[in-house]
Amino acid sequence: MQEQELQKLREIILNAKNLVFFGGAGVSTESGIPDFRSVDGLYSQKYDNIPPEVIISHSYFVKHTDKFFKFYKDKMLCLDAKPNAAHLKLAELEEAGILSAIVTQNIDGLHQMAESRNVFELHGSVHRNYCQKCGKLFDARYILESESVPKCDKCGGIIKPDVVLYEEGLDSATVEGAIKAIQKADVLIVGGTSLNVYPAAGFLRYFHGKHLVIINRDETQADSMAELCIRDKIGEVLKQIEVPYE
Ligand code: ZN
């Protein structure tokens, strides 16, 4: 990134009255969490050539619950990951009264681990899991340590992660909260997402504020709409922003 871009970003952030951050998988890759949609060489063999979009669908969860959890534990539960520079800086900006909300497509809970408070998790969280029969709640560790399909220790029911699977709708209260936050924002920073994953791009049309900033390694659908576009890793960029304290 160029110093000029960075200077412009500093100016926008430090003058923001109500900043909202909208983030995707790229925010977590710097914490070592792979995008589960990326397919590696060993992948095909291990999961019978079934694409991830199929494995983490609602119907596959119902029909092939054991195979679903094999993939889920392997690819989606990364419980040793720690917040990176992006998570920490966003939490600092909230603490300083600049940032009002984070809207994320990630399910890893790293924003909360960094002590961000107002976080809308569009796709749910691996840290919430519930028994489909009696509703008892379980943490992610319980899922990881269970053999094959995790079952409730109270009633034996199958436990489902509170993660939005393909074919499932988003939680309406979460969507409403995210939209309201974006509508009120004067600055929207979109980071670590190419905006290709449904329904990410749709949220941008609720933004009527002054400054749209996009920080992503690759090109995105919304680059032409943005006032400032930085093609770099989100953590690398944000760690160069100094947060003022009164
Ligand atoms: Zn139960």
Side-chain angles (χ1 to χ4, degrees):
M1 92 208 78
Q2 295 164 355
E3 184 52 38
Q4 206 184 348
E5 293 175 328
L6 204 54
Q7 202 46 47
K8 175 89 184 155
L9 179 65
R10 284 192 185 107
E11 207 181 290
I12 292 174
I13 291 180
L14 300 182
N15 290 312
K17 304 263 177 301
N18 188 334
L19 189 157
V20 170
F21 179 81
F22 186 101
V27 176
S28 291
T29 46
E30 286 165 67
S31 289
I33 297 184
D35 185 352
F36 61 81
R37 292 172 203 87
S38 65
V39 171
D40 58 51
L42 291 171
Y43 176 86
S44 311
Q45 238 180 318
K46 201 168 169 193
Y47 301 102
D48 310 327
N49 284 315
I50 304 167
E53 293 79 16
V54 173
I55 300 180
I56 52 169
S57 68
H58 182 83
S59 49
Y60 197 86
F61 172 82
V62 172
K63 264 187 260 165
H64 306 282
T65 316
D66 54 337
K67 285 184 186 161
F68 168 89
F69 274 110
K70 183 172 184 258
F71 179 89
Y72 180 81
K73 289 180 205 175
D74 270 11
K75 293 273 179 183
M76 296 170 80
L77 275 186
C78 310
L79 299 183
D80 297 326
K82 298 272 182 300
N84 62 52
H87 299 103
L88 297 172
K89 190 61 70 176
L90 291 166
E92 248 186 88
L93 287 167
E94 185 179 20
E95 182 68 31
I98 295 171
L99 180 143
S100 64
I102 292 171
V103 180
T104 181
Q105 298 170 269
N106 298 336
I107 55 175
D108 49 49
L110 289 179
H111 286 297
Q112 287 89 340
M113 210 187 279
E115 292 183 17
S116 282
R117 290 179 298 265
N118 198 24
V119 184
F120 296 97
E121 296 173 302
L122 295 176
H123 295 165
S125 172
V126 299
H127 297 287
R128 296 186 297 268
N129 304 274
Y130 61 93
C131 168
Q132 294 189 107
K133 227 165 158 184
C134 76
K136 184 173 173 185
L137 291 167
F138 296 87
D139 63 14
R141 190 64 59 186
Y142 187 90
I143 305 298
L144 188 68
E145 286 167 2
S146 62
E147 263 182 63
S148 183
V149 176
K151 302 251 174 71
C152 176
D153 59 3
K154 195 171 139 203
C155 78
I158 293 171
I159 299 170
K160 187 175 186 291
D162 189 9
V163 162
V164 180
L165 304 179
Y166 287 88
E167 305 163 354
E168 292 179 344
L170 304 187
D171 176 66
S172 55
T174 308
V175 170
E176 263 172 53
I179 289 174
K180 274 193 189 138
I182 291 170
Q183 281 173 330
K184 282 191 282 184
D186 66 336
V187 176
L188 180 64
I189 299 181
V190 177
T193 171
S194 53
L195 294 168
N196 287 330
V197 179
Y198 174 83
F203 280 87
L204 262 60
R205 65 190 156 90
Y206 294 100
F207 176 64
H208 305 295
K210 278 192 213 128
H211 310 282
L212 176 65
V213 177
I214 295 183
I215 305 169
N216 196 47
R217 280 198 339 187
D218 308 308
E219 208 177 317
T220 84
Q221 291 181 24
D223 286 2
S224 60
M225 290 157 58
E227 175 182 350
L228 176 63
C229 219
I230 302 180
R231 297 263 170 85
D232 211 325
K233 290 182 181 173
I234 181 80
E236 294 292 315
V237 176
L238 288 185
K239 82 176 174 203
Q240 301 187 62
I241 302 295
E242 305 78 22
V243 180
Y245 285 97
E246 281 172 13

